[in-house]
mmCIF file of all heavy atoms in Angstrom:
data_model
loop_
_atom_site.group_PDB
_atom_site.id
_atom_site.type_symbol
_atom_site.label_atom_id
_atom_site.label_comp_id
_atom_site.label_asym_id
_atom_site.label_seq_id
_atom_site.Cartn_x
_atom_site.Cartn_y
_atom_site.Cartn_z
ATOM 1 N N LEU A 57 97.651 102.031 90.572
ATOM 2 C CA LEU A 57 98.244 102.109 91.909
ATOM 3 C C LEU A 57 99.061 103.384 92.080
ATOM 4 O O LEU A 57 98.978 104.048 93.118
ATOM 5 C CB LEU A 57 99.126 100.885 92.179
ATOM 6 C CG LEU A 57 98.402 99.653 92.690
ATOM 7 C CD1 LEU A 57 99.297 98.423 92.583
ATOM 8 C CD2 LEU A 57 97.940 99.865 94.119
ATOM 9 N N ASP A 58 99.832 103.727 91.070
ATOM 10 C CA ASP A 58 100.633 104.950 91.120
ATOM 11 C C ASP A 58 99.735 106.179 91.241
ATOM 12 O O ASP A 58 99.984 107.053 92.076
ATOM 13 C CB ASP A 58 101.521 105.051 89.875
ATOM 14 C CG ASP A 58 102.390 106.294 89.891
ATOM 15 O OD1 ASP A 58 103.175 106.459 90.850
ATOM 16 O OD2 ASP A 58 102.267 107.101 88.954
ATOM 17 N N ALA A 59 98.689 106.240 90.423
ATOM 18 C CA ALA A 59 97.782 107.392 90.452
ATOM 19 C C ALA A 59 97.060 107.488 91.794
ATOM 20 O O ALA A 59 96.912 108.581 92.356
ATOM 21 C CB ALA A 59 96.767 107.293 89.313
ATOM 22 N N LEU A 60 96.619 106.352 92.325
ATOM 23 C CA LEU A 60 95.938 106.360 93.619
ATOM 24 C C LEU A 60 96.885 106.766 94.741
ATOM 25 O O LEU A 60 96.507 107.530 95.632
ATOM 26 C CB LEU A 60 95.339 104.980 93.911
ATOM 27 C CG LEU A 60 94.098 104.635 93.106
ATOM 28 C CD1 LEU A 60 93.816 103.140 93.191
ATOM 29 C CD2 LEU A 60 92.902 105.443 93.585
ATOM 30 N N TYR A 61 98.116 106.279 94.703
ATOM 31 C CA TYR A 61 99.112 106.644 95.715
ATOM 32 C C TYR A 61 99.343 108.150 95.718
ATOM 33 O O TYR A 61 99.351 108.791 96.765
ATOM 34 C CB TYR A 61 100.416 105.891 95.450
ATOM 35 C CG TYR A 61 101.480 106.141 96.476
ATOM 36 C CD1 TYR A 61 101.496 105.416 97.662
ATOM 37 C CD2 TYR A 61 102.474 107.091 96.259
ATOM 38 C CE1 TYR A 61 102.481 105.631 98.614
ATOM 39 C CE2 TYR A 61 103.460 107.319 97.212
ATOM 40 C CZ TYR A 61 103.457 106.587 98.382
ATOM 41 O OH TYR A 61 104.430 106.805 99.326
ATOM 42 N N ARG A 62 99.501 108.705 94.527
ATOM 43 C CA ARG A 62 99.701 110.161 94.419
ATOM 44 C C ARG A 62 98.470 110.929 94.885
ATOM 45 O O ARG A 62 98.570 111.952 95.550
ATOM 46 C CB ARG A 62 100.044 110.537 92.986
ATOM 47 C CG ARG A 62 101.391 110.025 92.540
ATOM 48 C CD ARG A 62 101.592 110.250 91.038
ATOM 49 N NE ARG A 62 102.773 109.599 90.562
ATOM 50 C CZ ARG A 62 103.974 110.155 90.553
ATOM 51 N NH1 ARG A 62 104.140 111.372 90.997
ATOM 52 N NH2 ARG A 62 105.006 109.490 90.097
ATOM 53 N N HIS A 63 97.295 110.410 94.530
ATOM 54 C CA HIS A 63 96.046 111.068 94.924
ATOM 55 C C HIS A 63 95.873 111.040 96.445
ATOM 56 O O HIS A 63 95.446 112.031 97.048
ATOM 57 C CB HIS A 63 94.857 110.387 94.236
ATOM 58 C CG HIS A 63 93.543 110.956 94.631
ATOM 59 N ND1 HIS A 63 93.148 112.234 94.291
ATOM 60 C CD2 HIS A 63 92.537 110.434 95.382
ATOM 61 C CE1 HIS A 63 91.946 112.465 94.806
ATOM 62 N NE2 HIS A 63 91.557 111.387 95.462
ATOM 63 N N LEU A 64 96.198 109.921 97.070
ATOM 64 C CA LEU A 64 96.058 109.817 98.521
ATOM 65 C C LEU A 64 97.024 110.727 99.264
ATOM 66 O O LEU A 64 96.794 111.055 100.425
ATOM 67 C CB LEU A 64 96.245 108.363 98.971
ATOM 68 C CG LEU A 64 95.087 107.437 98.620
ATOM 69 C CD1 LEU A 64 95.481 105.983 98.838
ATOM 70 C CD2 LEU A 64 93.845 107.793 99.423
ATOM 71 N N ASP A 65 98.070 111.161 98.586
ATOM 72 C CA ASP A 65 99.037 112.084 99.181
ATOM 73 C C ASP A 65 98.578 113.536 99.061
ATOM 74 O O ASP A 65 99.206 114.433 99.610
ATOM 75 C CB ASP A 65 100.409 111.896 98.526
ATOM 76 C CG ASP A 65 101.531 112.526 99.325
ATOM 77 O OD1 ASP A 65 101.461 112.487 100.574
ATOM 78 O OD2 ASP A 65 102.474 113.053 98.713
ATOM 79 N N ALA A 66 97.477 113.782 98.367
ATOM 80 C CA ALA A 66 96.944 115.128 98.177
ATOM 81 C C ALA A 66 96.304 115.617 99.482
ATOM 82 O O ALA A 66 96.051 114.836 100.402
ATOM 83 C CB ALA A 66 95.916 115.145 97.055
ATOM 84 N N ASP A 67 96.026 116.915 99.532
ATOM 85 C CA ASP A 67 95.432 117.503 100.728
ATOM 86 C C ASP A 67 94.061 116.938 101.054
ATOM 87 O O ASP A 67 93.742 116.705 102.212
ATOM 88 C CB ASP A 67 95.336 119.029 100.588
ATOM 89 C CG ASP A 67 96.707 119.684 100.618
ATOM 90 O OD1 ASP A 67 97.634 119.100 101.207
ATOM 91 O OD2 ASP A 67 96.834 120.791 100.056
ATOM 92 N N GLU A 68 93.225 116.741 100.036
ATOM 93 C CA GLU A 68 91.866 116.239 100.255
ATOM 94 C C GLU A 68 91.536 115.133 99.259
ATOM 95 O O GLU A 68 90.809 115.345 98.295
ATOM 96 C CB GLU A 68 90.863 117.377 100.131
ATOM 97 C CG GLU A 68 91.011 118.436 101.211
ATOM 98 C CD GLU A 68 89.967 119.520 101.114
ATOM 99 O OE1 GLU A 68 88.829 119.239 100.690
ATOM 100 O OE2 GLU A 68 90.291 120.661 101.446
ATOM 101 N N PRO A 69 92.046 113.918 99.514
ATOM 102 C CA PRO A 69 91.754 112.822 98.581
ATOM 103 C C PRO A 69 90.288 112.396 98.670
ATOM 104 O O PRO A 69 89.634 112.586 99.696
ATOM 105 C CB PRO A 69 92.675 111.701 99.044
ATOM 106 C CG PRO A 69 92.929 111.988 100.480
ATOM 107 C CD PRO A 69 92.885 113.486 100.614
ATOM 108 N N ALA A 70 89.795 111.816 97.599
ATOM 109 C CA ALA A 70 88.431 111.287 97.581
ATOM 110 C C ALA A 70 88.327 110.185 98.634
ATOM 111 O O ALA A 70 89.230 109.358 98.752
ATOM 112 C CB ALA A 70 88.103 110.726 96.202
ATOM 113 N N PRO A 71 87.249 110.163 99.404
ATOM 114 C CA PRO A 71 87.113 109.144 100.451
ATOM 115 C C PRO A 71 87.203 107.708 99.938
ATOM 116 O O PRO A 71 87.749 106.840 100.604
ATOM 117 C CB PRO A 71 85.728 109.418 101.046
ATOM 118 C CG PRO A 71 85.456 110.849 100.734
ATOM 119 C CD PRO A 71 86.137 111.111 99.416
ATOM 120 N N SER A 72 86.693 107.454 98.742
ATOM 121 C CA SER A 72 86.717 106.083 98.221
ATOM 122 C C SER A 72 88.100 105.672 97.706
ATOM 123 O O SER A 72 88.334 104.491 97.451
ATOM 124 C CB SER A 72 85.691 105.921 97.104
ATOM 125 O OG SER A 72 86.002 106.779 96.027
ATOM 126 N N ALA A 73 89.016 106.617 97.575
ATOM 127 C CA ALA A 73 90.337 106.304 97.018
ATOM 128 C C ALA A 73 91.082 105.277 97.861
ATOM 129 O O ALA A 73 91.795 104.435 97.315
ATOM 130 C CB ALA A 73 91.164 107.575 96.862
ATOM 131 N N VAL A 74 90.925 105.325 99.158
ATOM 132 C CA VAL A 74 91.633 104.363 100.012
ATOM 133 C C VAL A 74 91.128 102.939 99.761
ATOM 134 O O VAL A 74 91.914 101.990 99.733
ATOM 135 C CB VAL A 74 91.549 104.754 101.511
ATOM 136 C CG1 VAL A 74 90.150 104.576 102.070
ATOM 137 C CG2 VAL A 74 92.551 103.965 102.313
ATOM 138 N N PHE A 75 89.830 102.765 99.539
ATOM 139 C CA PHE A 75 89.293 101.440 99.242
ATOM 140 C C PHE A 75 89.807 100.937 97.899
ATOM 141 O O PHE A 75 90.127 99.759 97.749
ATOM 142 C CB PHE A 75 87.761 101.463 99.242
ATOM 143 C CG PHE A 75 87.198 101.906 100.563
ATOM 144 C CD1 PHE A 75 86.525 103.110 100.670
ATOM 145 C CD2 PHE A 75 87.363 101.137 101.703
ATOM 146 C CE1 PHE A 75 86.014 103.530 101.886
ATOM 147 C CE2 PHE A 75 86.854 101.549 102.927
ATOM 148 C CZ PHE A 75 86.175 102.749 103.016
ATOM 149 N N TRP A 76 89.884 101.845 96.925
ATOM 150 C CA TRP A 76 90.401 101.477 95.608
ATOM 151 C C TRP A 76 91.876 101.125 95.694
ATOM 152 O O TRP A 76 92.334 100.168 95.068
ATOM 153 C CB TRP A 76 90.172 102.615 94.611
ATOM 154 C CG TRP A 76 88.798 102.566 94.043
ATOM 155 C CD1 TRP A 76 87.654 103.073 94.589
ATOM 156 C CD2 TRP A 76 88.414 101.946 92.828
ATOM 157 N NE1 TRP A 76 86.589 102.811 93.782
ATOM 158 C CE2 TRP A 76 87.027 102.119 92.690
ATOM 159 C CE3 TRP A 76 89.100 101.268 91.836
ATOM 160 C CZ2 TRP A 76 86.317 101.640 91.594
ATOM 161 C CZ3 TRP A 76 88.399 100.792 90.746
ATOM 162 C CH2 TRP A 76 87.022 100.970 90.632
ATOM 163 N N TYR A 77 92.633 101.876 96.471
ATOM 164 C CA TYR A 77 94.060 101.592 96.621
ATOM 165 C C TYR A 77 94.252 100.215 97.255
ATOM 166 O O TYR A 77 95.067 99.413 96.793
ATOM 167 C CB TYR A 77 94.751 102.670 97.454
ATOM 168 C CG TYR A 77 96.237 102.456 97.556
ATOM 169 C CD1 TYR A 77 97.076 102.781 96.497
ATOM 170 C CD2 TYR A 77 96.801 101.891 98.689
ATOM 171 C CE1 TYR A 77 98.444 102.565 96.572
ATOM 172 C CE2 TYR A 77 98.159 101.668 98.776
ATOM 173 C CZ TYR A 77 98.981 102.003 97.721
ATOM 174 O OH TYR A 77 100.337 101.783 97.792
ATOM 175 N N GLU A 78 93.491 99.928 98.315
ATOM 176 C CA GLU A 78 93.605 98.635 98.983
ATOM 177 C C GLU A 78 93.232 97.488 98.037
ATOM 178 O O GLU A 78 93.904 96.458 98.012
ATOM 179 C CB GLU A 78 92.733 98.602 100.234
ATOM 180 C CG GLU A 78 93.276 99.484 101.340
ATOM 181 C CD GLU A 78 92.339 99.605 102.528
ATOM 182 O OE1 GLU A 78 91.204 99.060 102.479
ATOM 183 O OE2 GLU A 78 92.736 100.254 103.499
#
Side-chain angles (χ1 to χ4, degrees):
L57 276 166
D58 181 58
L60 286 165
Y61 183 84
R62 292 172 189 271
H63 177 68
L64 288 168
D65 196 36
D67 291 334
E68 295 183 32
S72 62
V74 70
F75 301 113
W76 277 84
Y77 184 77
E78 289 173 356

